[in-house]
Amino acid sequence: MLNFKRKATAGLLLASAITSLGLFAAPAAAQASSKYLPGQFGSYVRAKRNVYVGISQWHGNGYKPLLKKKGSLLFVK
């Protein structure tokens, strides 16, 4: 009976260790496959199409919406 308790305890410890390793590895795998490039205060992403980014830029004699071209690197907070 004592031998069975040791095996059961060892099995539970092994199962909990495997589970905890899986929990720690899951965010790392998700981070590695992310389309966002890591940054200190945010991330960077490439635009898949031409995008108006929501700010205006002085152009000629007035302000016009800023259009970023496809493939531009944009900062995402």
Side-chain angles (χ1 to χ4, degrees):
M1 187 70 174
L2 186 60
N3 194 13
F4 176 73
K5 286 184 181 178
R6 285 185 187 166
K7 286 183 180 179
T9 305
L12 286 173
L13 286 174
L14 182 62
S16 65
I18 291 172
T19 304
S20 65
L21 286 175
L23 291 175
F24 287 122
Q31 181 81 13
S33 65
S34 176
K35 292 182 180 180
Y36 294 97
L37 302 172
Q40 186 175 2
F41 299 108
S43 301
Y44 293 90
V45 65
R46 291 227 178 258
K48 289 187 173 182
R49 59 183 181 174
N50 292 345
V51 178
Y52 286 103
V53 292
I55 61 174
S56 297
Q57 184 179 26
W58 183 261
H59 189 272
N61 59 353
Y63 286 98
K64 295 186 178 180
L66 181 62
L67 177 68
K68 295 303 285 184
K69 299 291 183 178
K70 177 181 176 180
S72 298
L73 197 60
L74 303 173
F75 181 75
V76 180
K77 199 169 191 179

